[in-house]
Amino acid sequence: MTGLVHFAQAPHSVELRELPIPDIGEDDVLFSVQAVGICGSDLHQYAGKQSWTVNYPVVLGHEFAGVVAKTGGRVRGFKEGDRVVSETAAVLPSDSAFLRQGLYNLEPKRLGFGYGVNGAMAPYVKVPGRCLHHIPDALAFEKASLTEPCCVAYNAVCVNSHPRPGDTVAVIGPGPIGLLCAMMAKLSGAGHLVVIGIPADAHRLEVARKIGADTILGAKGEDVVEWVKNFGDGYGFDLVIDAAGVSSSLKMALDIVRPAGQITKVGWGPQPLNFSLDPLVQKAVTLQGSFSHNWPIWEKVIALLASGKINLDAVLNRVSPLKDWREAFEQMHSGQIVKGVLKP
Ligand SMILES: [Zn+2]
């Protein structure tokens, strides 16, 4: 089979390679991949700029949907031909306290598809049975492959944040996760919803408007902090989601959050902060991190996708064969498309 392999640290060390079809163990299934989403983290690895350890060489891809091709002897509840999606925690220590707690997403020794073990940018991938979820026939594989980023957004907005209907919400960073967070805020009954970007995000900010943002800011270099002073009662937002991750976006979040409000940080940024956190104290703000997702979130998101309550039409902009991966990666990197899906 032909898979897309990340083989070294140097930038652009990604290529199509001939690989054997994976062998599976008693607790695994052989997963026939029908669609795999391109994630920002795949782009980071392509650029050689990831901040996590990669087990070279490794097949990229962790957002995928498909069909069970073969099951190991101990797998229960799934059989050949079942339509499925897979969670991302491919390897977990069996004695993990966080596994027992159902918070295996937070287990520090967890390894994921696409960096720790071979991922899904290939016709087949080996998947432990515990990672699987059934999907209904009416949910297309292309959309189902985006269950994973929807779960990241659901965890950030609907589990780790506590928006009430009518709360004002700002999302900083209109990349795929930021836009999906905006959708989750909408579903949670957000009052005025603002999505904030920079001039390079002009296209993605238009998408934010399509999915229901009441205001988009930053495409023309607007002064966001000034705008907020004239917004509503002038105190700022009940909830700010930082989906950009750079130091300046957390600074902005602190500037525009309301006293006693919440900030949830879902974007990564390795650089140190260069500003004071005193406003966090003075405003008595709750600052919360959010990472990955777990089983109940997957079940909720699959139901929301199947019912159409999460509608991905505006964000899923390109479906291509795996061989066209480079063009799809580059279009996503430049912001020309929000989200691309590959078919191995
Ligand atoms: Zn992802």
Side-chain angles (χ1 to χ4, degrees):
M1 65 174 192
T2 306
L4 188 61
V5 176
H6 184 202
F7 57 87
Q9 170 75 54
H12 304 130
S13 299
V14 170
E15 66 185 13
L16 290 172
R17 284 188 179 177
E18 278 311 302
L19 304 163
I21 291 177
D23 285 327
I24 61 164
E26 289 287 285
D27 295 312
D28 304 318
V29 307
L30 184 64
F31 191 117
S32 163
V33 181
Q34 302 299 309
V36 51
I38 302 166
C39 178
S41 68
D42 297 314
L43 302 181
H44 283 303
Q45 287 183 226
Y46 177 50
K49 285 188 180 149
Q50 75 280 355
S51 54
W52 49 93
T53 309
V54 177
N55 258 333
Y56 303 110
V58 72
V59 177
L60 288 171
H62 60 269
E63 304 177 355
F64 55 109
V67 173
V68 175
K70 194 159 103 186
T71 56
R74 283 198 295 263
V75 173
R76 296 287 171 265
F78 295 90
K79 58 180 193 313
E80 211 180 301
D82 283 359
R83 303 173 88 251
V84 283
V85 287
S86 170
E87 296 190 28
T88 52
V91 178
L92 286 168
S94 57
D95 62 349
S96 161
F98 288 93
L99 176 57
R100 290 172 185 177
Q101 223 176 312
L103 293 175
Y104 45 85
N105 50 320
L106 305 182
E107 165 55 52
K109 294 199 187 98
R110 140 198 203 279
L111 290 179
F113 294 106
Y115 69 91
V117 301
N118 281 336
M121 290 191 178
Y124 294 99
V125 54
K126 177 180 94 164
V127 173
R130 65 168 167 74
C131 290
L132 297 175
H133 294 259
H134 289 286
I135 54 169
D137 290 345
L139 181 56
F141 290 121
E142 293 77 16
K143 287 187 175 161
S145 71
L146 302 188
T147 308
E148 196 272 341
C150 290
C151 289
V152 170
Y154 187 100
N155 197 18
V157 177
C158 309
V159 179
N160 286 317
S161 315
H162 308 285
R164 293 177 182 162
D167 273 0
T168 52
V169 179
V171 176
I172 305 174
I177 295 296
L179 291 170
L180 294 172
C181 284
M183 272 188 217
M184 297 302 163
K186 212 66 199 164
L187 273 175
S188 306
H192 201 98
L193 172 65
V194 178
V195 177
I196 300 165
I198 56 176
D201 293 320
H203 169 69
R204 303 199 284 197
L205 285 166
E206 280 311 315
V207 176
R209 204 193 288 286
K210 275 190 207 150
I211 62 174
D214 299 291
T215 302
I216 54 172
L217 288 176
K220 300 187 183 85
E222 298 94 323
D223 184 332
V224 174
V225 177
E226 268 312 301
W227 186 90
V228 173
K229 283 182 190 156
N230 298 307
F231 164 64
D233 61 11
Y235 286 116
F237 294 94
D238 294 297
L239 170 63
V240 181
I241 304 286
D242 176 9
V246 294
S247 167
S248 58
S249 60
L250 185 60
K251 167 90 168 63
M252 179 187 286
L254 278 170
D255 286 340
I256 64 176
V257 71
R258 203 176 171 80
Q262 311 167 68
I263 298 173
T264 297
K265 185 165 159 54
V266 63
W268 296 74
Q271 69 280 66
L273 306 177
N274 58 354
F275 56 88
S276 164
L277 286 176
D278 280 357
L280 183 83
V281 180
Q282 189 179 26
K283 289 183 171 181
V285 162
T286 304
L287 173 62
Q288 163 79 52
S290 186
F291 176 61
S292 193
H293 31 64
N294 62 359
W295 193 89
I297 296 175
W298 278 72
E299 289 293 306
K300 293 260 176 12
V301 166
I302 290 165
L304 288 167
L305 283 167
S307 68
K309 286 185 177 139
I310 297 176
N311 180 343
L312 298 174
D313 289 343
V315 295
L316 174 48
N317 305 136
R318 179 184 171 133
V319 179
S320 353
L322 181 62
K323 68 173 177 49
D324 296 338
W325 67 273
R326 196 186 303 269
E327 200 183 78
F329 272 42
E330 274 160 13
Q331 283 187 339
M332 226 177 110
H333 179 68
S334 69
Q336 238 179 305
I337 60 170
V338 176
K339 197 77 185 171
V341 165
L342 300 170
K343 294 182 77 80

